[in-house]
Coordinates of all heavy atoms in Angstrom, one line a residue:
R209 N 96.4 -34.5 -132.4 CA 95.5 -33.5 -133.2 C 96.6 -32.6 -133.9 O 97.8 -32.6 -133.7 CB 94.6 -32.7 -132.2 CG 95.4 -31.9 -131.3 CD 94.4 -30.8 -130.7 NE 95.0 -30.1 -129.6 CZ 95.8 -29.0 -129.9 NH1 96.1 -28.6 -131.1 NH2 96.4 -28.3 -128.8
D210 N 96.0 -31.9 -134.9 CA 96.8 -31.0 -135.6 C 97.3 -29.9 -134.8 O 96.6 -29.4 -133.8 CB 96.0 -30.4 -136.8 CG 95.7 -31.4 -137.9 OD1 96.4 -32.5 -137.9 OD2 94.8 -31.1 -138.8
M211 N 98.5 -29.4 -135.0 CA 99.0 -28.3 -134.3 C 98.5 -27.0 -134.7 O 98.1 -26.8 -135.9 CB 100.6 -28.3 -134.6 CG 101.3 -27.2 -133.7 SD 103.1 -27.1 -134.2 CE 103.8 -28.6 -133.7
R212 N 98.2 -26.1 -133.7 CA 97.6 -24.8 -134.1 C 98.6 -23.7 -133.6 O 99.6 -23.9 -132.8 CB 96.3 -24.6 -133.3 CG 95.3 -25.7 -133.6 CD 94.0 -25.4 -132.9 NE 94.1 -25.7 -131.5 CZ 93.4 -26.5 -130.8 NH1 92.6 -27.4 -131.4 NH2 93.5 -26.7 -129.5
Q213 N 98.4 -22.5 -134.1 CA 99.2 -21.4 -133.7 C 99.3 -21.2 -132.2 O 100.3 -20.9 -131.7 CB 98.7 -20.1 -134.4 CG 98.8 -20.0 -135.8 CD 100.2 -19.5 -136.2 OE1 101.2 -20.3 -136.2 NE2 100.5 -18.2 -136.4
A214 N 98.1 -21.5 -131.5 CA 98.0 -21.3 -130.0 C 99.0 -22.3 -129.3 O 99.3 -22.1 -128.2 CB 96.7 -21.5 -129.5
D215 N 99.4 -23.4 -130.0 CA 100.3 -24.3 -129.3 C 101.7 -23.9 -129.4 O 102.5 -24.6 -128.7 CB 100.2 -25.7 -130.1 CG 98.8 -26.3 -130.1 OD1 98.1 -26.2 -129.0 OD2 98.3 -26.8 -131.2
L216 N 102.0 -23.0 -130.2 CA 103.5 -22.6 -130.4 C 104.3 -22.3 -129.2 O 105.4 -22.7 -129.1 CB 103.6 -21.6 -131.5 CG 103.1 -22.0 -132.9 CD1 103.4 -20.9 -134.0 CD2 103.8 -23.4 -133.3
P217 N 103.7 -21.5 -128.3 CA 104.5 -21.2 -127.1 C 105.0 -22.5 -126.3 O 106.1 -22.7 -125.9 CB 103.7 -20.3 -126.2 CG 102.8 -19.6 -127.2 CD 102.5 -20.6 -128.3
R218 N 104.1 -23.4 -126.1 CA 104.3 -24.7 -125.5 C 105.3 -25.5 -126.2 O 106.3 -26.1 -125.7 CB 103.1 -25.4 -125.1 CG 103.3 -26.7 -124.4 CD 103.9 -26.6 -123.0 NE 104.2 -28.0 -122.5 CZ 105.2 -28.3 -121.8 NH1 106.2 -27.4 -121.6 NH2 105.4 -29.5 -121.4
V219 N 105.1 -25.6 -127.5 CA 106.0 -26.4 -128.5 C 107.4 -25.8 -128.3 O 108.3 -26.6 -128.1 CB 105.4 -26.4 -130.0 CG1 106.4 -26.9 -130.9 CG2 104.1 -27.2 -130.0
A220 N 107.5 -24.5 -128.4 CA 108.8 -23.9 -128.3 C 109.5 -24.1 -126.9 O 110.7 -24.3 -126.9 CB 108.7 -22.3 -128.6
A221 N 108.7 -24.2 -126.0 CA 109.3 -24.4 -124.6 C 109.8 -25.9 -124.5 O 110.9 -26.2 -124.0 CB 108.2 -24.3 -123.5
I222 N 109.1 -26.9 -125.1 CA 109.5 -28.2 -125.2 C 110.8 -28.3 -125.9 O 111.8 -29.0 -125.6 CB 108.5 -29.2 -125.7 CG1 107.3 -29.2 -124.8 CG2 109.0 -30.6 -125.9 CD1 106.0 -30.0 -125.4
E223 N 110.9 -27.6 -127.0 CA 112.0 -27.6 -127.9 C 113.3 -27.1 -127.2 O 114.3 -27.6 -127.2 CB 111.7 -26.7 -129.2 CG 112.8 -26.6 -130.1 CD 113.0 -27.7 -131.1 OE1 112.2 -28.7 -131.1 OE2 113.9 -27.7 -131.9
R224 N 113.1 -25.9 -126.4 CA 114.1 -25.3 -125.7 C 114.7 -26.2 -124.7 O 115.9 -26.3 -124.4 CB 113.7 -24.0 -125.1 CG 113.7 -22.9 -126.1 CD 113.5 -21.5 -125.4 NE 112.4 -21.5 -124.5 CZ 111.2 -21.2 -124.8 NH1 110.9 -20.9 -126.0 NH2 110.2 -21.2 -123.9
E225 N 113.8 -27.0 -123.9 CA 114.3 -27.9 -122.9 C 115.0 -29.1 -123.4 O 115.7 -29.8 -122.7 CB 113.2 -28.3 -121.9 CG 112.3 -29.4 -122.4 CD 111.2 -29.9 -121.5 OE1 110.9 -29.2 -120.5 OE2 110.6 -30.9 -121.7
S226 N 114.8 -29.4 -124.7 CA 115.3 -30.6 -125.3 C 116.5 -30.6 -126.1 O 117.2 -31.6 -126.2 CB 114.1 -31.3 -126.1 OG 113.0 -31.4 -125.3
Y227 N 116.8 -29.4 -126.7 CA 117.9 -29.3 -127.7 C 118.9 -28.2 -127.4 O 118.5 -27.2 -126.8 CB 117.3 -29.1 -129.1 CG 116.5 -30.3 -129.6 CD1 115.1 -30.1 -129.8 CD2 117.0 -31.4 -129.9 CE1 114.3 -31.1 -130.2 CE2 116.2 -32.5 -130.4 CZ 114.9 -32.3 -130.5 OH 114.1 -33.3 -131.0
E228 N 120.1 -28.5 -127.6 CA 121.2 -27.4 -127.4 C 121.0 -26.3 -128.4 O 121.2 -25.1 -128.1 CB 122.5 -28.1 -127.6 CG 123.7 -27.2 -127.3 CD 125.0 -27.8 -127.3 OE1 125.1 -29.2 -127.4 OE2 126.0 -27.1 -127.2
F229 N 120.5 -26.6 -129.6 CA 120.2 -25.7 -130.6 C 118.9 -25.7 -131.1 O 118.5 -26.3 -132.1 CB 121.2 -25.8 -131.8 CG 122.7 -25.7 -131.4 CD1 123.4 -26.8 -131.2 CD2 123.2 -24.4 -131.1 CE1 124.8 -26.8 -130.8 CE2 124.5 -24.4 -130.6 CZ 125.4 -25.5 -130.5
P230 N 117.9 -25.2 -130.3 CA 116.5 -25.4 -130.7 C 116.1 -24.5 -131.8 O 116.6 -23.5 -132.1 CB 115.7 -24.9 -129.4 CG 116.8 -24.0 -128.7 CD 118.1 -24.5 -129.1
W231 N 115.0 -25.1 -132.4 CA 114.3 -24.2 -133.4 C 113.6 -23.0 -132.7 O 113.2 -23.1 -131.6 CB 113.1 -25.0 -134.0 CG 113.5 -26.0 -135.1 CD1 114.7 -26.5 -135.4 CD2 112.5 -26.7 -136.0 NE1 114.6 -27.4 -136.4 CE2 113.3 -27.5 -136.7 CE3 111.2 -26.6 -136.1 CZ2 112.7 -28.3 -137.7 CZ3 110.6 -27.4 -137.1 CH2 111.4 -28.3 -137.9
S232 N 113.6 -21.9 -133.4 CA 113.0 -20.7 -132.9 C 111.5 -20.9 -133.1 O 111.0 -21.6 -133.9 CB 113.5 -19.5 -133.7 OG 113.0 -19.5 -135.0
P233 N 110.7 -20.1 -132.3 CA 109.3 -20.1 -132.5 C 108.9 -19.7 -133.9 O 107.9 -20.2 -134.5 CB 108.8 -18.9 -131.5 CG 109.8 -19.0 -130.4 CD 111.2 -19.2 -131.1
G234 N 109.7 -18.9 -134.5 CA 109.4 -18.5 -135.9 C 109.5 -19.6 -136.9 O 108.8 -19.6 -137.9
I235 N 110.4 -20.6 -136.7 CA 110.5 -21.7 -137.5 C 109.2 -22.5 -137.4 O 108.6 -23.0 -138.5 CB 111.7 -22.5 -137.2 CG1 113.0 -21.7 -137.6 CG2 111.7 -23.9 -137.9 CD1 114.3 -22.4 -137.1
F236 N 108.7 -22.7 -136.2 CA 107.4 -23.5 -136.1 C 106.3 -22.7 -136.7 O 105.5 -23.3 -137.4 CB 107.1 -23.7 -134.6 CG 108.1 -24.7 -133.9 CD1 109.1 -24.2 -133.0 CD2 107.9 -26.0 -134.1 CE1 109.9 -25.1 -132.4 CE2 108.8 -27.0 -133.5 CZ 109.7 -26.5 -132.6
R237 N 106.3 -21.5 -136.6 CA 105.2 -20.7 -137.2 C 105.3 -20.8 -138.7 O 104.3 -21.0 -139.4 CB 105.3 -19.1 -136.8 CG 104.2 -18.3 -137.3 CD 104.5 -16.8 -137.2 NE 105.7 -16.5 -138.0 CZ 106.8 -16.0 -137.6 NH1 107.0 -15.8 -136.3 NH2 107.7 -15.7 -138.4
D238 N 106.5 -20.7 -139.3 CA 106.7 -20.8 -140.7 C 106.2 -22.2 -141.2 O 105.6 -22.4 -142.3 CB 108.1 -20.5 -141.1 CG 108.5 -19.1 -140.9 OD1 107.6 -18.2 -140.7 OD2 109.7 -18.7 -141.0
C239 N 106.5 -23.2 -140.5 CA 106.0 -24.6 -140.9 C 104.5 -24.7 -140.9 O 104.0 -25.3 -141.9 CB 106.6 -25.7 -139.9 SG 108.4 -26.0 -140.0
L240 N 103.8 -24.1 -140.0 CA 102.5 -24.0 -140.0 C 101.9 -23.2 -141.2 O 100.9 -23.6 -141.9 CB 101.8 -23.5 -138.7 CG 101.9 -24.3 -137.4 CD1 101.3 -23.6 -136.3 CD2 101.2 -25.7 -137.7
L241 N 102.5 -22.1 -141.4 CA 102.1 -21.2 -142.6 C 102.3 -22.0 -143.9 O 101.6 -21.7 -144.8 CB 102.8 -19.8 -142.5 CG 102.4 -19.0 -141.3 CD1 103.4 -17.7 -141.3 CD2 101.0 -18.5 -141.4
A242 N 103.3 -22.7 -143.9 CA 103.7 -23.4 -145.1 C 102.8 -24.7 -145.4 O 102.8 -25.3 -146.4 CB 105.1 -23.8 -145.1
G243 N 102.0 -25.0 -144.3 CA 101.0 -26.1 -144.4 C 101.7 -27.5 -144.2 O 101.1 -28.5 -144.6
Y244 N 102.9 -27.5 -143.5 CA 103.4 -28.8 -143.2 C 102.6 -29.5 -142.3 O 102.1 -28.9 -141.3 CB 104.8 -28.6 -142.6 CG 105.9 -28.1 -143.5 CD1 107.1 -27.6 -142.9 CD2 105.8 -28.1 -144.9 CE1 108.1 -27.2 -143.8 CE2 106.7 -27.6 -145.7 CZ 108.0 -27.2 -145.1 OH 109.0 -26.7 -145.9
P245 N 102.3 -30.8 -142.5 CA 101.5 -31.6 -141.5 C 102.4 -31.5 -140.1 O 103.5 -31.9 -140.0 CB 101.5 -33.0 -142.0 CG 101.8 -32.7 -143.5 CD 102.7 -31.6 -143.6
S246 N 101.6 -31.0 -139.1 CA 102.1 -30.9 -137.8 C 101.1 -31.3 -136.8 O 99.9 -31.0 -136.8 CB 102.4 -29.3 -137.6 OG 103.3 -28.8 -138.6
F247 N 101.7 -32.0 -135.8 CA 100.8 -32.6 -134.8 C 101.3 -32.4 -133.4 O 102.5 -32.2 -133.1 CB 100.8 -34.2 -135.0 CG 100.6 -34.6 -136.4 CD1 101.7 -34.8 -137.3 CD2 99.3 -34.6 -137.0 CE1 101.5 -35.1 -138.6 CE2 99.1 -34.9 -138.4 CZ 100.3 -35.2 -139.1
V248 N 100.3 -32.4 -132.4 CA 100.7 -32.4 -131.0 C 99.9 -33.4 -130.3 O 98.8 -33.9 -130.8 CB 100.4 -31.0 -130.4 CG1 101.1 -29.8 -131.0 CG2 98.8 -30.7 -130.5
V249 N 100.5 -33.8 -129.1 CA 99.8 -34.8 -128.3 C 99.5 -34.0 -127.0 O 100.5 -33.3 -126.5 CB 100.7 -36.0 -128.0 CG1 100.1 -36.9 -126.9 CG2 101.0 -36.8 -129.2
E250 N 98.4 -34.1 -126.5 CA 98.0 -33.4 -125.2 C 97.7 -34.4 -124.1 O 97.2 -35.4 -124.3 CB 96.7 -32.6 -125.4 CG 96.8 -31.3 -126.1 CD 95.5 -30.6 -126.3 OE1 94.5 -31.2 -126.5 OE2 95.6 -29.3 -126.1
L251 N 98.0 -33.9 -122.9 CA 97.7 -34.8 -121.7 C 97.1 -33.8 -120.8 O 97.7 -32.7 -120.4 CB 98.8 -35.4 -121.1 CG 98.7 -36.1 -119.8 CD1 97.8 -37.4 -120.1 CD2 100.0 -36.7 -119.3
R252 N 95.9 -34.0 -120.3 CA 95.1 -33.1 -119.4 C 95.2 -31.6 -119.9 O 95.4 -30.7 -119.1 CB 95.6 -33.2 -118.0 CG 95.3 -34.6 -117.4 CD 95.7 -34.7 -116.0 NE 97.0 -35.0 -115.7 CZ 97.6 -36.1 -115.8 NH1 97.0 -37.2 -116.1 NH2 99.0 -36.3 -115.6
G253 N 95.1 -31.4 -121.2 CA 95.0 -30.1 -121.9 C 96.3 -29.4 -122.0 O 96.3 -28.3 -122.4
E254 N 97.4 -30.1 -121.8 CA 98.7 -29.5 -122.0 C 99.5 -30.3 -123.1 O 99.5 -31.5 -123.1 CB 99.6 -29.6 -120.8 CG 101.0 -28.9 -120.9 CD 101.7 -28.9 -119.6 OE1 101.3 -29.6 -118.7 OE2 102.9 -28.2 -119.7
V255 N 100.0 -29.6 -124.0 CA 100.9 -30.2 -125.1 C 102.0 -30.8 -124.5 O 102.8 -30.2 -123.8 CB 101.2 -29.2 -126.2 CG1 102.2 -29.8 -127.2 CG2 100.0 -28.7 -126.9
I256 N 102.3 -32.1 -124.8 CA 103.5 -32.8 -124.2 C 104.4 -33.4 -125.3 O 105.4 -33.9 -125.0 CB 103.0 -34.0 -123.3 CG1 102.2 -34.9 -123.9 CG2 102.3 -33.3 -122.0 CD1 101.9 -36.2 -123.1
A257 N 103.9 -33.3 -126.5 CA 104.8 -33.9 -127.6 C 104.4 -33.2 -128.9 O 103.1 -32.7 -129.1 CB 104.7 -35.3 -127.7
Y258 N 105.2 -33.2 -129.9 CA 104.8 -32.7 -131.3 C 105.7 -33.3 -132.3 O 106.8 -33.9 -132.1 CB 105.1 -31.1 -131.3 CG 106.5 -30.7 -131.0 CD1 107.3 -30.7 -132.0 CD2 106.8 -30.4 -129.7 CE1 108.6 -30.3 -131.7 CE2 108.1 -30.0 -129.5 CZ 109.1 -29.9 -130.4 OH 110.3 -29.6 -130.1
A259 N 105.2 -33.3 -133.6 CA 105.9 -33.7 -134.7 C 105.5 -32.9 -135.8 O 104.3 -32.4 -136.0 CB 105.6 -35.2 -135.0
I260 N 106.6 -32.7 -136.8 CA 106.3 -31.9 -138.0 C 107.0 -32.6 -139.1 O 108.1 -33.1 -139.0 CB 107.0 -30.5 -137.8 CG1 106.3 -29.8 -136.7 CG2 106.8 -29.7 -139.2 CD1 106.9 -28.4 -136.4
M261 N 106.3 -32.7 -140.3 CA 106.9 -33.3 -141.4 C 106.6 -32.5 -142.7 O 105.7 -31.6 -142.7 CB 106.4 -34.7 -141.7 CG 104.9 -34.9 -142.0 SD 104.6 -36.6 -142.4 CE 102.8 -36.5 -142.5
S262 N 107.4 -32.7 -143.7 CA 107.1 -32.0 -145.0 C 106.8 -33.2 -146.0 O 107.2 -34.4 -145.9 CB 108.3 -31.3 -145.5 OG 109.4 -32.1 -145.8
V263 N 105.8 -32.8 -146.8 CA 105.4 -33.8 -147.9 C 105.4 -33.1 -149.2 O 104.8 -32.1 -149.3 CB 104.0 -34.3 -147.5 CG1 103.5 -35.3 -148.7 CG2 103.9 -35.0 -146.2
A264 N 106.2 -33.7 -150.1 CA 106.2 -33.1 -151.5 C 106.7 -34.2 -152.5 O 107.6 -35.0 -152.1 CB 107.1 -31.9 -151.5
A265 N 106.2 -34.1 -153.7 CA 106.7 -35.0 -154.8 C 106.7 -36.4 -154.4 O 107.6 -37.2 -154.7 CB 108.1 -34.5 -155.3
G266 N 105.7 -36.9 -153.7 CA 105.6 -38.3 -153.3 C 106.6 -38.7 -152.2 O 106.7 -39.9 -151.9
E267 N 107.2 -37.8 -151.4 CA 108.1 -38.1 -150.4 C 107.6 -37.4 -149.1 O 107.1 -36.3 -149.2 CB 109.5 -37.7 -150.7 CG 110.1 -38.4 -151.8 CD 111.6 -38.0 -152.1 OE1 112.0 -37.1 -151.4 OE2 112.2 -38.7 -152.9
A268 N 107.9 -37.9 -148.0 CA 107.7 -37.3 -146.7 C 109.0 -37.3 -145.9 O 109.8 -38.2 -146.0 CB 106.6 -38.1 -145.9
H269 N 109.3 -36.2 -145.2 CA 110.5 -36.1 -144.4 C 110.0 -35.6 -143.0 O 109.3 -34.6 -142.9 CB 111.5 -35.0 -144.9 CG 111.9 -35.4 -146.3 ND1 113.1 -36.1 -146.5 CD2 111.4 -35.2 -147.6 CE1 113.2 -36.3 -147.8 NE2 112.2 -35.7 -148.5
L270 N 110.5 -36.4 -142.0 CA 110.3 -36.0 -140.7 C 111.2 -34.8 -140.3 O 112.4 -34.9 -140.5 CB 110.5 -37.2 -139.7 CG 110.3 -36.9 -138.2 CD1 108.8 -36.5 -137.9 CD2 110.8 -38.1 -137.4
L271 N 110.7 -33.7 -139.9 CA 111.5 -32.5 -139.7 C 111.8 -32.3 -138.2 O 112.9 -31.9 -137.9 CB 110.8 -31.2 -140.2 CG 110.5 -31.2 -141.7 CD1 109.6 -30.0 -142.0 CD2 111.7 -31.3 -142.5
N272 N 110.8 -32.7 -137.4 CA 111.0 -32.5 -135.9 C 110.1 -33.4 -135.2 O 108.9 -33.5 -135.7 CB 110.9 -31.1 -135.5 CG 111.5 -30.7 -134.2 OD1 111.6 -31.6 -133.4 ND2 111.9 -29.5 -134.2
L273 N 110.6 -34.0 -134.2 CA 109.6 -34.8 -133.3 C 110.2 -34.8 -131.9 O 111.4 -35.0 -131.7 CB 109.6 -36.3 -133.7 CG 108.6 -37.1 -133.0 CD1 108.0 -38.3 -133.9 CD2 109.1 -37.8 -131.7
C274 N 109.4 -34.4 -130.9 CA 110.0 -34.2 -129.5 C 108.9 -34.5 -128.5 O 107.7 -34.2 -128.7 CB 110.6 -32.8 -129.4 SG 111.5 -32.6 -128.0
V275 N 109.3 -35.1 -127.4 CA 108.4 -35.3 -126.3 C 109.0 -34.6 -125.1 O 110.1 -34.6 -124.9 CB 108.4 -36.8 -126.0 CG1 107.5 -37.1 -124.7 CG2 107.9 -37.7 -127.2
A276 N 108.1 -33.9 -124.3 CA 108.5 -33.2 -123.1 C 109.2 -34.2 -122.2 O 108.9 -35.3 -122.0 CB 107.3 -32.6 -122.5
R277 N 110.2 -33.6 -121.6 CA 111.2 -34.4 -120.7 C 110.3 -35.1 -119.7 O 110.6 -36.3 -119.4 CB 112.1 -33.4 -119.9 CG 113.1 -34.2 -119.2 CD 114.2 -33.3 -118.6 NE 115.0 -32.8 -119.7 CZ 115.5 -31.6 -119.9 NH1 115.1 -30.7 -119.0 NH2 116.2 -31.3 -120.9
S278 N 109.3 -34.6 -119.1 CA 108.5 -35.2 -118.1 C 107.6 -36.3 -118.6 O 107.0 -37.0 -117.8 CB 107.6 -34.1 -117.4 OG 106.7 -33.6 -118.3
S279 N 107.5 -36.4 -119.9 CA 106.6 -37.4 -120.5 C 107.4 -38.5 -121.3 O 106.7 -39.3 -121.9 CB 105.6 -36.8 -121.4 OG 104.8 -35.9 -120.7
R280 N 108.7 -38.5 -121.1 CA 109.5 -39.5 -121.9 C 109.5 -40.9 -121.3 O 109.1 -41.0 -120.1 CB 110.9 -38.9 -122.0 CG 111.0 -37.8 -122.9 CD 112.4 -37.3 -123.0 NE 112.3 -35.9 -123.7 CZ 113.2 -35.1 -123.7 NH1 114.4 -35.3 -123.0 NH2 113.1 -33.9 -124.3
R281 N 109.9 -41.8 -122.0 CA 110.2 -43.2 -121.6 C 108.9 -44.0 -121.4 O 108.9 -45.1 -120.7 CB 111.0 -43.3 -120.3 CG 112.3 -42.5 -120.3 CD 113.4 -43.0 -121.1 NE 113.8 -44.3 -120.7 CZ 114.4 -45.2 -121.6 NH1 114.9 -44.8 -122.7 NH2 114.7 -46.3 -121.2
G282 N 107.8 -43.6 -122.1 CA 106.6 -44.3 -122.0 C 106.1 -44.8 -123.3 O 105.0 -45.2 -123.4
G283 N 106.9 -44.7 -124.4 CA 106.4 -45.0 -125.7 C 105.7 -44.0 -126.5 O 105.3 -44.2 -127.6
L284 N 105.6 -42.8 -125.9 CA 104.9 -41.8 -126.6 C 105.5 -41.3 -127.9 O 104.9 -41.2 -128.9 CB 104.6 -40.6 -125.7 CG 103.9 -39.4 -126.3 CD1 102.5 -39.8 -126.7 CD2 103.8 -38.3 -125.2
G285 N 106.8 -41.2 -127.9 CA 107.5 -40.8 -129.1 C 107.3 -41.9 -130.2 O 107.2 -41.5 -131.4
R286 N 107.4 -43.1 -129.9 CA 107.2 -44.2 -130.9 C 105.8 -44.1 -131.4 O 105.6 -44.2 -132.6 CB 107.4 -45.6 -130.2 CG 106.9 -46.8 -130.9 CD 107.5 -47.0 -132.4 NE 108.9 -47.3 -132.2 CZ 109.7 -47.3 -133.3 NH1 109.2 -47.0 -134.5 NH2 111.0 -47.5 -133.2
R287 N 104.7 -44.0 -130.6 CA 103.4 -43.8 -131.1 C 103.2 -42.6 -132.0 O 102.5 -42.7 -132.9 CB 102.4 -43.8 -129.9 CG 102.3 -45.2 -129.2 CD 101.2 -45.2 -128.2 NE 100.8 -44.0 -127.5 CZ 100.8 -43.7 -126.3 NH1 101.1 -44.8 -125.5 NH2 100.4 -42.6 -125.8
L288 N 103.9 -41.5 -131.6 CA 103.8 -40.3 -132.4 C 104.4 -40.6 -133.8 O 103.9 -40.2 -134.8 CB 104.4 -39.1 -131.7 CG 104.2 -37.8 -132.4 CD1 102.8 -37.4 -132.8 CD2 104.9 -36.7 -131.5
L289 N 105.6 -41.2 -133.8 CA 106.3 -41.5 -135.1 C 105.4 -42.5 -135.8 O 105.3 -42.2 -137.1 CB 107.6 -42.2 -134.7 CG 108.4 -42.6 -136.0 CD1 108.7 -41.4 -136.8 CD2 109.7 -43.2 -135.5
D290 N 104.7 -43.4 -135.3 CA 103.9 -44.3 -136.0 C 102.8 -43.6 -136.6 O 102.4 -43.8 -137.8 CB 103.3 -45.4 -135.1 CG 104.4 -46.5 -134.7 OD1 105.4 -46.5 -135.3 OD2 104.1 -47.2 -133.7
T291 N 102.2 -42.6 -136.0 CA 101.1 -41.8 -136.5 C 101.6 -40.9 -137.6 O 100.9 -40.9 -138.7 CB 100.6 -40.8 -135.4 OG1 100.0 -41.6 -134.3 CG2 99.5 -39.9 -135.9
V292 N 102.8 -40.4 -137.6 CA 103.4 -39.6 -138.7 C 103.6 -40.4 -139.9 O 103.3 -40.1 -141.1 CB 104.6 -38.8 -138.2 CG1 105.4 -38.3 -139.4 CG2 104.3 -37.8 -137.2
V293 N 104.1 -41.6 -139.7 CA 104.4 -42.6 -140.8 C 103.1 -42.9 -141.5 O 103.0 -43.0 -142.7 CB 105.3 -43.8 -140.3 CG1 105.3 -44.8 -141.4 CG2 106.6 -43.4 -139.9
T294 N 102.2 -43.2 -140.7 CA 100.8 -43.6 -141.2 C 100.2 -42.5 -142.1 O 99.8 -42.7 -143.2 CB 99.9 -44.1 -140.1 OG1 100.3 -45.2 -139.4 CG2 98.5 -44.4 -140.6
R295 N 100.4 -41.3 -141.5 CA 99.8 -40.1 -142.2 C 100.5 -39.8 -143.5 O 100.0 -39.5 -144.5 CB 99.9 -38.9 -141.3 CG 99.5 -37.6 -141.8 CD 97.9 -37.5 -141.9 NE 97.5 -36.2 -142.5 CZ 97.2 -35.2 -141.8 NH1 97.1 -35.3 -140.5 NH2 96.8 -34.1 -142.3
A296 N 101.9 -40.0 -143.5 CA 102.7 -39.9 -144.7 C 102.4 -40.9 -145.8 O 102.5 -40.6 -147.0 CB 104.2 -40.0 -144.3
A297 N 101.9 -42.1 -145.4 CA 101.6 -43.1 -146.4 C 100.2 -42.9 -147.0 O 99.9 -43.5 -148.0 CB 101.6 -44.4 -145.7
T298 N 99.4 -42.0 -146.5 CA 98.1 -41.8 -147.1 C 98.0 -40.6 -148.1 O 98.9 -39.9 -148.2 CB 97.1 -41.5 -145.9 OG1 97.4 -40.3 -145.3 CG2 96.9 -42.6 -145.0

């Protein structure tokens, strides 16, 4: 589903657990405010993955994609990437 402002604390937490130099919550907020296509995956009501891309001038760029550590190695990242690529092509 599309990412919402209410998802940002959980998205930022996944980002912090995953990267040595994580994006700040403000960067995620700015991406939403700029209208970048942003998606989350939920499991039992909890965000477990996200992706953000920019689209302009007929091009799409994947800016960030991450899966929570506890949900990795099950193909979720690949499925999320496929979703983003499909969305970029439309």
Side-chain angles (χ1 to χ4, degrees):
R209 69 167 171 79
D210 290 343
M211 186 184 294
R212 301 184 291 243
Q213 288 280 85
D215 299 319
L216 296 184
R218 177 65 182 142
V219 166
I222 295 169
E223 179 83 0
R224 281 190 308 273
E225 81 175 12
S226 301
Y227 297 110
E228 185 176 352
F229 300 102
W231 282 13
S232 70
I235 293 172
F236 289 105
R237 183 191 67 243
D238 290 347
C239 287
L240 287 180
L241 291 173
Y244 290 167
S246 305
F247 312 96
V248 297
V249 177
E250 285 183 315
L251 179 64
R252 292 186 282 279
E254 182 177 9
V255 172
I256 59 168
Y258 59 86
I260 300 173
M261 69 176 170
S262 66
V263 179
E267 294 183 356
H269 297 269
L270 180 64
L271 301 177
N272 199 332
L273 187 151
C274 193
V275 177
R277 186 173 290 137
S278 61
S279 298
R280 293 181 188 159
R281 310 287 305 161
L284 181 58
R286 166 58 67 187
R287 290 194 328 238
L288 184 54
L289 179 60
D290 289 345
T291 298
V292 170
V293 169
T294 298
R295 178 77 177 262
T298 60

